Structures are given as C-alpha cells and as structure tokens.
Amino acid sequence: MRIKVLAAKLFAKKVAKETEKWSSKPLETQQKVFKNLIKEASKTKFGKDHHFDQINTFQDFAEKVPVRDYEALRLYVDLVVEGKSDILWKGKPIYFAKTSGTTSGAKYIPLTKESIPFHIQAARNALLSYIHETGNADFVKGKMIFLQGSPILEEKNGIKLGRLSGIVAHYVPKYLLKNRMPSWETNCIDDWETKVNAIVDETIKEDMTVISGIPAWVQMYFEKLHEKSGKKVGELFKNFSLYVYGGVNFEPYRAKFENLIGRKVDSVELFPASEGFFAYQDKQNEKGMLLLLNAGMFYEFIKTEDFFTENPKRYTIGEVELGVNYALIISTNAGLWAYNIGDTVQFTSLKPHRVIVSGRIKHFISAFGEHVIGKEVEHALKEAMEGTSIRVNEFTVAPQITPESGLPYHEWLIEFDPEASGEPENLEVFALKIDNAMRKQNTYYDDLIEGKVLRTLVITKVAQNGFQEYMKSIGKLGGQNKMPRLSNDRKIADFLNQFKKA
C-alpha cells in the first residue's frame, strides 16, 4: 500500500508540471488546439460546407461558422446517427452520449477516439492535482465510489450509446478496479432508488475513502446509510476524506452534508458534460476551476447580456475579463463546431484561467426584466443560512406573475432538512434575508422591489422527497440529472405545490 501512495504522489508531481506548462501559455495552447481541429476536420462534410480550407485565423472561423445549439447542428448530427462517415469529424464516433433535451427530445452527442481520452484524463488529473497540492494520497488505499448511470450500452447503426457516466465506467484504469465500487452488477441497475439501496448494502461495511456524485443523489445515499446504520457517515467510513462532485454548486448542500457526515471533508469540483470535460478544481483555497485549454477543445465566449442580440461579439481566451457572465461556446475533436452547450461561466482568475459555472443560458428569471441567474440565487441562500442551523435539501425559484392578491413575486420552493433544527424559526425573516442578499447582487431586482413592481420573495416549504417526486415524474431521478435552480415559467413550481408543507 505504501508503494501505491508513493506512486500516486510521483505521478501527481509529473502531471502538475505538465499542467503548469500549458496553463502558463493560454494563447499558444488554444491556438495549437484551434489549428489542429481545423486541419483534422477539413475533409469532413462540415469542413467542406464551411470552407475550412480557407480558415487561417479565428476571425475567418467566426465569419464562416455561426454559433449553433443542438437543434441548429441537427442536420449534421442526424447523418452521423444514420451511420455515415466523415460528417462532423473524420470517420465515425465510437460512442454517442445520449442526453435528454427540453426541445430536441433525445440528443446524441458524439464521442470520438480522439475525444474520449480527455474525459478520462481530466477526471484522473483532478484527483492527482489534489494529491499534489495537499500531499494527501492515503485515500488511494481505500474504496472509492462513483454514483453514476448504468454502464449498459445500446447500439445505433453500429455505434454504442449510453449515458456519459455509463460510457466512462468502461474506462476505469486497471489499478483502480479493485478499489472501485459499486459492483458492476449493482451499477447496471436502472431504477435509481433500487440502485441506491443496493449500493448501501454493498458499501456500508467497506473502507470508503472517496465518494463522488451529484450532491442531491449523494445526499440520498448518505441518508439511506444513516437510516440503516443509525450512524453518521463519517463514523461509518472513518477514512472518508474526499468528496468529488460536479454539475451543480455544492454550497447549498454543504451544511446538510457536514451534518450527515458529522465532520468536514475536503471536496473537489469538476465541470464535465457529454460535450467535453471543461474544468476541475486545482486548488483547495482558490475560487473557481482550472479551464482545460489543452483538452481538444477550442473555447469562445459571448457575454450573456449580448447573447440574444444579432451577431454578438465572440471572444477568445485572450479577451475575457474577470466577473463577466459568458455563454460558453466550444469546438471539439468530437465534431462540435461553435457549439453553445447552454452553460454560463464567470472567470475568477486569468493567471491561470479559472471559471465558476454561473448558470444556464436558458435557466433564468426575467419575467419582469430582472435577469436573475443561478449564481445569484445560490449565493443569496448561502448568505441567509450563514451563522444559522438552517439546512436545505433542495430548492428552485420561479416567478409568480398572477398572485391571488398583492404584487407579483419570486416564489422560492425549498425543501428544508426535516430535523427541527434544519428549518428557520421565522420563515418571513429568513425570506427577507434572502431578498436583501438578492437585492445587493442584482440591481434590476432591487429596482423592481423599490419601485413596487415586485414584493419581497415568498418561500413555499416543500415536504420531504417532493423534489425527488418531481424528478421521478419527468424520468430524471438519479444519475447525472440535476434540478434546475431557476425557471421563467411555473411548470416546476406548480408540480411542487402539490407537496406544499404547512
């Protein structure tokens, strides 16, 4: 075991040097990626249609290749799905990551033999970065769990398809196989609740040291462990020292996690998606995640305030500024070109380039022109909870435009911890704290409150498991599925009001 720890530290040192090399030369790194992408795809259908042979600079690219979302790229993707070669990237993809889109139905995101290694390397390097910074490699001696989708893959026209997390499960390095949990059989269980119960049975007596997964679903796992054992997670797993997560902000869950675990553990944030693995947290005490500039992806950024205007300016890595909200646009070695993934980011550092995920370009509230984004509601809730024993299991926010009486408002639907100490003693006082925090961050919202267009937000308490019932109702319980923080309509809010708690 000592040899394993030493080997991990030496490997971490090597990767840290490589990371420093490319991250310290961001423009050079991205230019190299850009040229390689254009060259490799020049003979594809997409490359010919967009005159890649005439593209020498980013300006050429921006003129010839418009920004697209999945629907706009679908003409090409459908040809790839039919089994045709050399459409978006040379040859055929080796996988499709199947995701569910709100307007597109099933989405098939190509993964190529060039792109898949970067997904694997990034996840590995995130752990190695943590080891190099902290010197803590003891966790490699214990068991690691990754709560993810089923690794059972289907096939479509000779190309395997499944959830990204299920595809990645086929690439676990040999040196981790003995440490990895749950078992293959358990991982293949499709029903999420059945799967979590099986995972609890398999892991409850193991020496778990690393646990990874989206916070809402790891919380469910922790709660079931506690129900079965009557013990805190940290007592069950005495060597549990690292939580790895991605997809959503951990802060709203942190207090509840620390209560379930019984102590603090280090955490590492990831920014993975079917379209690419974009960033990971490289420093424990630095805000933001290191943007992976050498991972077969060329990045563009559009200011969100300009995104829906005609021909908004497209920025490259050398032009971005701190604290500005950008829509993230990517071109990749899986054949996505000037592709809008739907996420918005803000830079927290430019040396090296670190980002936080600030929300979704389509997940916002602007029913009254307030332009509220996910980062703002998460920060406001965190600020209101500070110094209290209040704990939140899950929440979402929606506008109430036509209330039965009084002015319109933002409705915050919150599932508090069912323990007595987890709920606010005075809901109106807590709502006012959140409202004040929102007003400090968002001048549009502040103006609407001040001008008596809106009244102070209203909190609706949601009964335990109400959010799980919503996710189940839309077929997205568990795995990598995330609860939207914001919506500009009442669909989610109206469903959750069935679970309204007095």
Side-chain angles (χ1 to χ4, degrees):
M1 286 298 183
R2 285 182 182 177
I3 293 173
K4 201 169 187 178
V5 171
L6 180 60
K9 288 183 177 180
L10 290 172
F11 193 20
K13 186 176 181 180
K14 177 178 180 290
V15 168
K17 283 184 179 178
E18 292 169 356
T19 302
E20 166 64 24
K21 190 175 180 181
W22 62 255
S23 64
S24 63
K25 300 175 180 177
L27 302 184
E28 184 181 313
T29 300
Q30 276 284 274
Q31 182 64 11
K32 186 177 178 181
V33 170
F34 175 75
K35 286 188 173 181
N36 184 62
L37 290 174
I38 298 301
K39 178 185 173 186
E40 293 296 319
S42 61
K43 291 184 170 54
T44 63
K45 176 173 173 52
F46 189 94
K48 291 173 183 175
D49 288 352
H50 294 81
H51 308 290
F52 274 24
D53 59 336
Q54 298 172 26
I55 293 177
N56 296 306
T57 66
F58 168 66
Q59 287 70 29
D60 295 337
F61 180 78
E63 285 172 13
K64 297 180 189 304
V65 184
V67 172
R68 290 176 167 96
D69 59 12
Y70 185 84
E71 272 306 303
L73 196 67
R74 191 163 194 158
L75 174 70
Y76 292 96
V77 176
D78 285 349
L79 293 174
V80 181
V81 173
E82 287 170 16
K84 292 183 169 57
S85 294
D86 302 318
I87 302 299
L88 286 164
W89 188 253
K90 57 188 181 181
K92 296 181 183 181
I94 53 176
Y95 299 102
F96 289 120
K98 188 178 179 181
T99 67
S100 48
T102 51
T103 57
S104 311
K107 293 164 64 176
Y108 297 93
I109 307 298
L111 294 167
T112 63
K113 70 178 191 297
E114 289 83 8
S115 72
I116 196 76
F118 287 110
H119 285 270
I120 314 307
Q121 287 173 22
R124 179 201 71 191
N125 290 354
L127 292 178
L128 291 172
S129 177
Y130 171 80
I131 288 171
H132 182 70
E133 181 194 8
T134 65
N136 172 26
D138 287 344
F139 63 81
V140 302
K141 297 184 290 186
K143 300 284 187 181
M144 305 179 189
I145 190 168
F146 301 90
L147 292 179
Q148 57 191 188
S150 171
I152 296 174
L153 304 179
E154 303 169 51
E155 200 166 287
K156 198 170 185 71
N157 295 322
I159 299 171
K160 292 180 179 179
L161 69 99
R163 297 287 181 183
L164 175 67
S165 60
I167 292 168
V168 169
H170 291 261
Y171 288 85
V172 177
K174 288 182 180 178
Y175 59 83
L176 279 184
L177 282 175
K178 288 183 180 178
N179 300 65
R180 189 180 185 279
M181 297 195 81
S183 66
W184 185 267
E185 293 73 22
T186 294
N187 220 11
C188 290
I189 296 172
D190 202 40
D191 180 74
W192 184 251
E193 290 174 289
T194 305
K195 183 173 186 169
V196 173
N197 286 326
I199 291 172
V200 168
D201 290 339
E202 278 191 5
T203 59
I204 198 164
K205 292 183 179 177
E206 295 287 348
D207 179 23
M208 305 304 303
T209 56
V210 177
I211 296 172
S212 174
I214 285 178
W217 310 123
V218 173
Q219 180 178 303
M220 184 177 175
Y221 166 60
F222 284 171
E223 287 169 344
K224 287 182 179 293
L225 281 169
H226 181 65
E227 285 170 21
K228 185 156 186 175
S229 68
K231 296 179 179 179
K232 298 279 188 183
V233 173
E235 190 181 347
L236 274 176
F237 305 142
K238 297 188 188 306
N239 296 312
F240 171 39
S241 61
L242 184 62
Y243 171 53
V244 183
Y245 68 95
V248 298
N249 185 1
F250 181 46
E251 289 309 317
Y253 300 93
R254 190 178 292 277
K256 180 65 188 281
F257 264 58
E258 288 178 2
N259 181 58
L260 286 166
I261 297 166
R263 55 182 165 84
K264 292 184 178 182
V265 298
D266 285 348
S267 59
V268 171
E269 184 177 8
L270 312 178
F271 185 10
S274 299
E275 295 86 352
F277 201 126
F278 307 118
Y280 61 74
Q281 183 181 349
D282 65 320
K283 297 291 181 187
Q284 285 291 295
N285 297 314
E286 293 280 352
K287 190 178 181 184
M289 296 171 282
L290 182 70
L291 190 65
L292 303 181
L293 302 176
N294 71 328
M297 291 177 287
F298 179 74
Y299 298 97
E300 299 177 56
F301 308 89
I302 297 176
K303 292 181 179 179
T304 53
E305 62 195 50
D306 302 331
F307 186 81
F308 294 105
T309 62
E310 192 173 348
N311 298 319
K313 179 171 171 54
R314 293 155 65 173
Y315 298 87
T316 58
I317 197 68
E319 302 170 294
V320 294
E321 303 170 63
L322 294 174
V324 175
N325 213 35
Y326 294 103
L328 182 61
I329 311 299
I330 58 169
S331 296
T332 79
N333 56 6
L336 301 176
W337 299 102
Y339 186 85
N340 168 29
I341 68 166
D343 284 315
T344 60
V345 298
Q346 288 182 9
F347 283 88
T348 59
S349 165
L350 300 180
K351 290 183 179 180
H353 286 83
R354 294 194 184 96
V355 296
I356 58 169
V357 181
S358 53
R360 297 280 294 167
I361 197 71
K362 291 181 180 178
H363 288 178
F364 59 89
I365 298 178
S366 201
F368 309 93
E370 60 271 48
H371 309 299
V372 169
I373 61 173
K375 174 179 171 285
E376 292 169 345
V377 297
E378 287 172 339
H379 180 82
L381 182 60
K382 178 189 174 189
E383 187 174 313
M385 290 168 62
E386 279 174 0
T388 75
S389 60
I390 296 167
R391 293 190 292 271
V392 169
N393 289 346
E394 192 58 274
F395 80 100
T396 193
V397 187
Q400 177 50 275
I401 300 171
T402 55
E404 291 181 7
S405 62
L407 293 172
Y409 56 87
H410 283 186
E411 182 179 17
W412 286 59
L413 299 108
I414 303 178
E415 183 183 316
F416 292 101
D417 190 314
E419 295 177 18
S421 60
E423 292 196 8
E425 290 180 13
N426 187 316
L427 207 59
E428 290 184 2
V429 169
F430 186 62
L432 190 58
K433 279 186 178 181
I434 299 175
D435 208 68
N436 287 336
M438 283 297 307
R439 293 177 69 176
K440 281 190 291 184
Q441 294 181 91
N442 188 309
T443 55
Y444 301 109
Y445 182 74
D446 183 53
D447 288 344
L448 291 165
I449 297 286
E450 189 71 31
K452 294 191 168 36
V453 176
L454 293 178
R455 60 179 160 121
T456 300
L457 65 87
V458 173
I459 294 175
T460 297
K461 290 198 288 186
V462 177
Q464 192 176 5
N465 299 325
F467 283 87
Q468 286 184 25
E469 289 301 318
Y470 170 73
M471 295 299 278
K472 192 187 294 185
S473 76
I474 60 170
K476 291 190 176 183
L477 183 66
Q480 302 303 301
N481 298 310
K482 298 160 280 191
M483 183 73 205
R485 285 283 174 252
L486 296 161
S487 44
N488 211 34
D489 57 44
R490 296 283 305 167
K491 289 176 186 175
I492 297 174
D494 288 345
F495 181 94
L496 290 172
N497 267 288
Q498 299 174 67
F499 299 90
K500 193 171 183 178
K501 183 180 174 184

